[in-house]
Every structure is written in structure tokens, then in C-alpha cells.
Amino acid sequence: MPEASNDMRLLKYYYMCLLHEASKFLIMLFIFSRFHAGTEFLVAALVLCTLRHNMGGIHFRQYWSCFGFSLAFFAIVAVMAKFCPVNLIVQIITICLCILITFLIGPVQSSTRPPIDKKHFVRYRNTACIIMAVCMVLFICIKSFTYRDLIYWVIFFQTLQLIAAKIYERRKKDETLQ
């Protein structure tokens, strides 16, 4: 019976995530479309969703604080991609570092999410690393890849978010032990 209870908690968690994420996604799509950046938002959201699902990151308890952080994240990524292009060699080196960081500290999951076992932890971590490696290979193979800078900044800022979430998680754990 405990397994059924855990399955119901997991199902409820996923349902609420889907509902919240879908509404935030639609609102942000509307906002970015008004600024003629809808396509960029969709590309960034696709990459971020695949990474974040596997890496975790900073989590907020309130809907609007999460929405505000997400909106700021996508806005910063869009601005950086447009106004701060990065040399391909620097991108490759940075993504290699992001892969290493993710492998060493990822994933960081939300405290509201039911705990995952070691097998799933390893699978999520490895999947995130593979996604970043595939992006890096795309960058190398397709030199004029339209969304290269956009995807680069998503990977970069998501990795920074992972680091911040890990630091927060460790501090919270240390406070609990004291």
C-alpha cells in the first residue's frame, strides 16, 4: 500500500506541474510574441525544458515568484543571445565545463517533488550531459546554426542555476543538521 500512496503523490505532483508550467508557458509565449521574439522563446523553452527536467535547478514555492524568475531567465537569455555573441571556441569550452559541473553536482530536485532513487538520479544526470554534448556537436557541425547563441546562453544560465540550487540545498541541509 505505501507504493500506491507514493504513486498518487507523484501523479498529483506531475499534474500540478503540468498545469502551472502550461499556464506560465502560454503567458510568456504571448509576452515574447508581442516583442517579436516568439520563435526565440519557443527554441529556448524547448532546450530549457529538456535540460531542466533532467538537471533540476532553483525552485520557488509560489506560482508568481516562479513565473517572474522564469520570465527574467528567458528575457536575459534572449538579450544575451542578441547582443552578446560568443566565439565558437569559447562556447565549446564553456559547454564542456557545464557538462562537467552537471555531472559532478546534478541534478538538484525540488523539495516538493517525491524523492528519486539512485538509478533515476544517474539517468537524469547523464541525460542532461548528453543533451549538452549534442548541442555542442551541433554547434561544431553547423557553423551558421541560427539559434547557436540562444542555446548556448540557455545552457550557461541553466548551469549557473544548478550551481545556485546546489549551494542552497547544501546550506539548507547544514542548517537542518545543526
Side-chain angles (χ1 to χ4, degrees):
M1 195 67 168
E3 188 175 319
S5 174
N6 192 42
D7 288 346
M8 285 305 292
R9 282 191 4 234
L10 193 60
L11 189 60
K12 181 180 177 186
Y13 172 80
Y14 285 134
Y15 174 72
M16 291 307 297
C17 283
L18 181 64
L19 186 64
H20 288 158
E21 296 304 315
S23 65
K24 287 187 294 190
F25 175 82
L26 291 173
I27 294 167
M28 285 190 282
L29 179 59
F30 175 77
I31 292 169
F32 281 96
S33 293
R34 299 291 298 165
F35 290 98
H36 308 288
T39 304
E40 289 81 359
F41 169 73
L42 290 172
V43 171
L46 176 66
V47 174
L48 181 64
C49 286
T50 57
L51 285 174
R52 189 158 167 83
H53 172 73
N54 291 290
M55 292 170 75
I58 296 173
H59 299 281
F60 295 89
R61 295 197 188 282
Q62 301 297 320
Y63 176 89
W64 290 109
S65 54
C66 181
F67 174 81
F69 183 81
S70 297
L71 183 63
F73 181 94
F74 284 114
I76 290 168
V77 164
V79 167
M80 295 299 284
K82 186 169 186 157
F83 297 111
C84 297
V86 177
N87 175 290
L88 178 60
I89 300 300
V90 173
Q91 286 182 347
I92 291 167
I93 292 167
T94 306
I95 292 175
C96 286
L97 288 172
C98 290
I99 291 169
L100 179 63
I101 290 166
T102 299
F103 187 81
L104 294 174
I105 69 171
V108 175
Q109 72 179 73
S110 168
S111 59
T112 60
R113 181 180 180 170
I116 56 174
D117 58 22
K118 182 70 175 169
K119 182 178 98 176
H120 285 93
F121 180 91
V122 170
R123 182 184 307 156
Y124 288 142
R125 181 196 65 203
N126 293 347
T127 301
C129 292
I130 290 168
I131 291 166
M132 287 186 274
V134 166
C135 289
M136 188 175 63
V137 169
L138 279 174
F139 292 0
I140 294 168
C141 293
I142 308 171
K143 299 265 192 279
S144 62
F145 187 48
T146 306
Y147 299 109
R148 187 181 86 201
D149 290 324
L150 185 73
I151 293 169
Y152 166 78
W153 287 112
V154 169
I155 292 170
F156 179 79
F157 285 117
Q158 174 56 26
T159 305
L160 288 181
Q161 190 182 146
L162 178 69
I163 294 167
K166 190 64 165 187
I167 291 169
Y168 178 78
E169 180 184 71
R170 285 207 177 138
R171 282 189 181 164
K172 201 168 183 175
K173 190 176 184 181
D174 289 346
E175 286 173 6
T176 306
L177 295 174
Q178 292 177 358

